[in-house]
Amino acid sequence: MVLRIVFMICMGVITTSLHAKSIGKVTSPDGNLTVTVSLSKTGRPYFTLHRGAEMILDKSQMGMKLKSGDFYQNFKVLSSKCDRKDETWQQPWGEETEVRNHYNELSVNLQEKRGAKRLLTLVFRVFNDGMGFRYVFPKQPNLKNFVIMDEMTEMALPTDNDAWTIPVEGTEFLEALWTKEKMSTKPRVYTPITMEVKDDLYLVFHEANLTDYAMLNYEAKANGKGGVTMKSELTPWSTGELVFASAPFKSPWRTVIVGSKPADLIASRLMLNLNDPCKIEDTSWLETGKYVGIWWGMHMEDYTWGQGEKHGANTANTKRYIDFAAENGFKGVLVEGWNEGWDGDWGSNGDLFSFTKAYPDYDLPGLQQYAMNKGVRLIAHNETSGGAKNYEAQLEDAFALYHSLGIKAVKTGYVKKLMDKKELQHSQYGIRHYRKVIETAAKYQLMIVNHEPAMPTGLRRTYPNLISAEGTRGQEYNAWSKDGGNPPYHICILPFTRQLAGPIDFTPGIFNFKNKVYPKTHPQTTLTKQLAEYIVIYSPWQMAADMIENYKDQPALTFIKSVPTNWQQTLVLNADIGKYITIARKERGTDDWYIGGVTDENARDMVLDLKFLDQDGVYKAMIYQDGPGADYRTNPYPMTITQQMVKASDQLNLHLAPSGGFAIQLCKIK
């Protein structure tokens, strides 16, 4: 019976006919999605994807161009193999505790019919919510060391759809606004690409398990038949090559999430499942929590990164932040500008940073001991300004020092478009560097928050010490961006775009919107929306980003102090991409829930159904919502805080001001 079922869900056909088409077919476990793999008459592999009888992806071609010659046609099928898996694995931290990994797999082994007769294997995995495929280069006598000059992967869409993307050209550090237009009008774009095909079909294109490879981008062209074909465009080395490799070798997975509604995209764990299981044997040292930091004051020009009268990273100032963290339940204190290298034009002098030597006015070991005595730890900040070689030369010494002091987390930074003044951050050169940092950090039991990263691809499953990354227009744009800050719709888009790639170190929690440096720039939100961001934007470590003076006598701080950052369950209660979203998350180890909702520039009235709560439970609800007259443009501060008892049969009527929000804590009392 088992063999019969496997045959139905995965069929491989071996043939040598020049006119052969289908060479294999694999369906999702629920039978809803079907991938069909074929060879053209010229021996080029391609695939199609269907949802039932509906075509999702038309004939999408595959293959590579190597420096030694084309490697995308002239193939024949040697064999094929079917496999399946249904397992559940646990995350040490995440949006939920358990993840189900359920897929059917088809592997097709190809060989060139002429010439060197090199081998290539195509591996497809199909889940209920999408698919992934990768190229595998087996060990073989005629392909040892090789260079990829072009990846010929296509995603052929039968229609030209609205897509939310950010462009490659003109975007530094992945920090751009996500915009929605027809895919055919887009320039070369980064992934994830989120598409609305129709009311009941949403797609996301991305990659998984980016290992020793170049980061994926796509370029789209109209096909003249009303559809669009997206071709992969990898980030090159400075010399033009894309990937240097040695067989055996595996490419990253090219992924497609298929959802019937926007909430399905957020619920997908396809990308995580396509990464390798955790390689850290003991994960007990990993933590989640919240932190404060000496950072926003630099943007407000109250402090400086470099030495001088206003040097922010001094011992006395850091003790103030440690005291505040201890008094208010924050686990960490981030301090920027503590180490040698920040004087002068630090953004262009990456080779001058020391990651072990502190400035004379900053007592690193003394401050860490002071913090630990109060139940707090320093978070080490390592800005490299793109000096990857300088950083790698110091990694062992720096991470050993931090570990010996009891520091558990490091925030890295790469504020320079080129690494070592030569190579793009998202090239194979940069990907290799980022991985070296993560693996070295794991050796010394250090967690990494990576700013100016490569786009995350699920590596946190394999190395859960990679706890968060920036790679988006974060809170800092509300301090100095000449366009006035992130627009109201920004937070309503991120959960369906950048956040699908992984946790975001967005740094919410600004309470004082006055900006003496750039008076027209400030958070384009209400104060309550700042609270909601702690739920809507996911990170296992969340920052209260404002200067601690701005939290004094602020009742809203109570919510930040209480909100957890590690979850047992996550639900999207309502959503319309770019307009509004409400997310509910259940805290690990308790029966308590937290709900965050945000809107764009339009005010909204929402009826929030609580039917997801335990049916026989009673909860104390602490509700933070926009107060009378709240408006992000004129008066962002009004907030009402109310308390009431609720149960699953109840509904809450909530008003969201323009670019407003709400945040709710639900504590189960019986």
Side-chain angles (χ1 to χ4, degrees):
M1 184 64 177
V2 172
L3 290 175
R4 183 180 173 189
I5 294 173
V6 172
F7 181 76
M8 291 172 62
I9 61 177
C10 176
M11 294 179 287
V13 180
I14 302 174
T15 178
T16 57
S17 169
L18 288 176
H19 300 285
K21 290 195 176 181
S22 176
I23 58 175
K25 183 179 291 188
V26 55
T27 66
S28 57
D30 63 4
N32 194 36
L33 299 178
T34 301
V35 172
T36 303
V37 187
S38 306
L39 280 183
S40 70
K41 292 181 180 180
T42 61
R44 182 169 184 179
Y46 65 90
F47 71 95
T48 60
L49 172 64
H50 286 77
R51 183 178 67 173
E54 179 183 22
M55 177 176 286
I56 304 298
L57 292 176
D58 203 345
K59 182 179 177 180
S60 300
Q61 300 188 97
M62 308 172 69
M64 299 279 183
K65 284 186 178 180
L66 306 184
K67 206 165 194 177
S68 57
D70 293 346
F71 201 46
Y72 61 87
Q73 56 188 354
N74 185 37
F75 285 112
K76 66 179 181 179
V77 180
L78 290 183
S79 63
S80 62
K81 177 183 177 183
C82 299
D83 200 358
R84 63 189 308 188
K85 177 166 283 189
D86 189 0
E87 65 175 0
T88 299
W89 55 277
Q90 290 196 335
Q91 300 187 89
W93 52 266
E95 302 94 322
E96 63 273 306
T97 306
E98 294 186 338
V99 176
R100 187 181 184 187
N101 183 21
H102 190 197
Y103 64 81
N104 295 320
E105 180 179 282
L106 170 67
S107 298
V108 180
N109 299 312
L110 304 175
Q111 185 181 37
E112 292 175 304
K113 289 180 287 188
R114 296 179 293 277
K117 297 185 177 181
R118 297 167 296 183
L119 304 172
L120 178 67
T121 298
L122 307 176
V123 182
F124 291 82
R125 288 183 183 173
V126 187
F127 303 77
N128 291 341
D129 58 353
M131 61 160 286
F133 69 86
R134 75 185 332 176
Y135 301 91
V136 177
F137 299 79
K139 185 177 181 180
Q140 53 191 293
N142 294 330
L143 187 67
K144 296 180 180 179
N145 298 323
F146 60 95
V147 180
I148 298 174
M149 300 301 293
D150 192 8
E151 182 183 318
M152 308 295 287
T153 299
E154 292 180 350
M155 298 286 180
L157 293 140
T159 55
D160 186 7
N161 310 308
D162 286 334
W164 286 266
T165 62
I166 56 175
V168 173
E169 268 54 76
T171 299
E172 292 189 349
F173 319 129
L174 305 173
E175 297 173 6
L177 293 173
W178 296 78
T179 60
K180 175 186 176 183
E181 295 93 17
K182 293 294 183 183
M183 194 63 208
S184 63
T185 68
K186 300 276 188 175
R188 184 178 304 183
V189 297
Y190 290 115
T191 63
I193 299 167
T194 300
M195 283 187 185
E196 181 180 12
V197 180
K198 56 182 183 177
D199 288 346
D200 69 343
L201 180 57
Y202 293 81
L203 305 175
V204 177
F205 298 89
H206 190 37
E207 61 178 328
N209 198 346
L210 175 55
T211 300
D212 199 15
Y213 208 79
M215 203 174 89
L216 175 66
N217 316 299
Y218 278 111
E219 188 159 352
K221 292 184 179 180
N223 62 12
K225 301 176 182 179
V228 170
T229 297
M230 303 191 308
K231 181 191 172 296
S232 62
E233 297 289 343
L234 307 183
T235 305
W237 289 74
S238 59
T239 49
E241 296 91 346
L242 300 182
V243 177
F244 293 89
S246 299
F249 185 78
K250 298 176 181 179
S251 78
W253 297 89
R254 278 58 188 107
T255 63
V256 186
I257 298 173
V258 182
S260 298
K261 55 186 182 300
D264 295 340
L265 309 181
I266 294 175
S268 176
R269 300 293 172 256
L270 180 150
M271 181 188 65
L272 285 180
N273 283 325
L274 288 171
N275 276 267
D276 298 332
C278 181
K279 291 187 177 181
I280 301 175
E281 293 184 8
D282 175 18
T283 60
S284 62
W285 54 273
L286 295 170
E287 295 181 348
T288 62
K290 290 160 291 189
Y291 65 101
V292 294
I294 301 175
W295 173 69
W296 194 253
M298 280 84 155
H299 293 304
M300 297 296 104
E301 297 187 3
D302 288 351
Y303 306 137
T304 60
W305 280 279
Q307 296 182 96
E309 292 182 0
K310 297 199 299 182
H311 186 215
N314 63 67
T315 297
N317 198 25
T318 304
K319 283 186 175 181
R320 287 197 315 117
Y321 274 76
I322 292 171
D323 292 342
F324 177 86
E327 292 166 4
N328 291 281
F330 292 92
K331 287 186 177 181
V333 175
L334 172 75
V335 183
E336 295 198 11
W338 67 272
N339 55 313
E340 291 185 359
W342 289 92
D343 296 337
D345 184 12
W346 56 266
S348 300
N349 297 319
D351 293 342
L352 302 181
F353 280 110
S354 169
F355 304 100
T356 57
K357 297 177 182 178
Y359 280 130
D361 61 349
Y362 187 82
D363 180 8
L364 175 62
L367 284 167
Q368 171 65 0
Q369 189 59 55
Y370 181 82
M372 291 179 67
N373 290 342
K374 291 176 171 279
V376 179
R377 296 177 191 270
L378 294 176
I379 296 174
H381 185 259
N382 288 176
E383 175 56 57
T384 69
S385 293
K389 290 180 179 178
N390 178 52
Y391 194 32
E392 290 183 18
Q394 300 183 56
L395 272 181
E396 293 283 347
D397 289 343
F399 287 2
L401 171 64
Y402 304 156
H403 179 71
S404 70
L405 293 175
I407 291 172
K408 289 195 171 184
V410 180
K411 179 179 281 192
T412 59
Y414 299 85
V415 187
K416 202 67 178 176
K417 185 176 182 179
L418 298 179
M419 283 189 173
D420 295 322
K421 302 179 181 179
K422 185 177 182 181
E423 304 294 346
L424 292 167
Q425 292 176 337
H426 305 148
S427 66
Q428 186 182 27
Y429 184 90
I431 301 307
R432 286 174 172 175
H433 169 77
Y434 290 131
R435 180 63 63 90
K436 182 178 181 65
V437 173
I438 295 163
E439 292 180 352
T440 307
K443 175 181 174 181
Y444 290 99
Q445 296 189 341
L446 291 169
M447 298 175 286
I448 295 294
V449 177
N450 185 7
H451 277 223
E452 295 79 45
M455 187 64 76
T457 63
L459 185 62
R460 63 183 170 113
R461 180 187 180 188
T462 311
Y463 290 99
N465 65 314
L466 177 58
I467 55 174
S468 191
E470 191 186 33
T472 192
R473 272 183 60 130
Q475 187 79 263
E476 63 187 348
Y477 279 77
N478 296 326
W480 44 254
S481 182
K482 292 181 180 179
D483 58 13
N486 294 321
Y489 61 79
H490 189 54
I491 300 299
C492 303
I493 290 179
L494 287 182
F496 305 99
T497 52
R498 163 62 184 85
Q499 190 159 282
L500 297 179
I504 306 175
D505 191 44
F506 188 82
T507 62
I510 298 302
F511 280 14
N512 184 354
F513 292 5
K514 295 179 180 179
N515 189 333
K516 62 187 178 183
V517 184
Y518 300 97
K520 294 183 179 181
T521 299
H522 56 80
Q524 303 294 320
T525 73
T526 64
L527 177 57
T528 314
K529 190 173 181 178
Q530 289 288 311
L531 299 186
E533 289 174 4
Y534 285 89
I535 305 297
V536 174
I537 303 298
Y538 172 66
S539 176
W541 278 88
Q542 290 278 26
M543 186 180 194
D546 212 337
M547 299 169 66
I548 57 176
E549 294 84 355
N550 295 329
Y551 293 129
K552 184 178 181 181
D553 300 325
Q554 258 287 6
L557 181 63
T558 303
F559 181 81
I560 298 179
K561 290 164 60 174
S562 64
V563 65
T565 60
N566 200 17
W567 307 105
Q568 180 177 323
Q569 187 179 356
T570 292
L571 301 172
V572 179
L573 303 184
N574 59 50
D576 191 340
I577 301 176
K579 296 181 180 179
Y580 60 85
I581 181 172
T582 302
I583 292 182
R585 303 189 194 268
K586 187 178 184 181
E587 182 182 13
R588 287 199 188 189
T590 77
D591 292 318
D592 298 345
W593 285 84
Y594 292 77
I595 309 174
V598 296
T599 183
D600 58 9
E601 69 276 8
N602 298 301
R604 298 182 192 279
D605 292 303
M606 287 187 178
V607 178
L608 188 63
D609 199 320
L610 300 178
K611 61 184 179 182
F612 61 89
L613 297 176
D614 293 344
Q615 292 302 305
D616 58 349
V618 178
Y619 297 78
K620 181 176 72 174
M622 188 70 69
I623 304 168
Y624 302 76
Q625 60 180 317
D626 296 316
D631 190 309
Y632 77 101
R633 293 160 294 197
T634 58
N635 189 14
Y637 298 110
M639 175 186 293
T640 61
I641 304 174
T642 58
Q643 180 178 309
Q644 66 184 81
M645 309 305 292
V646 299
K647 52 187 182 298
S649 59
D650 290 334
Q651 293 180 329
L652 296 175
N653 296 306
L654 300 163
H655 175 73
L656 289 73
S659 195
F662 61 86
I664 303 173
Q665 178 186 23
L666 294 164
C667 296
K668 189 175 183 181
I669 59 174
K670 67 177 182 178

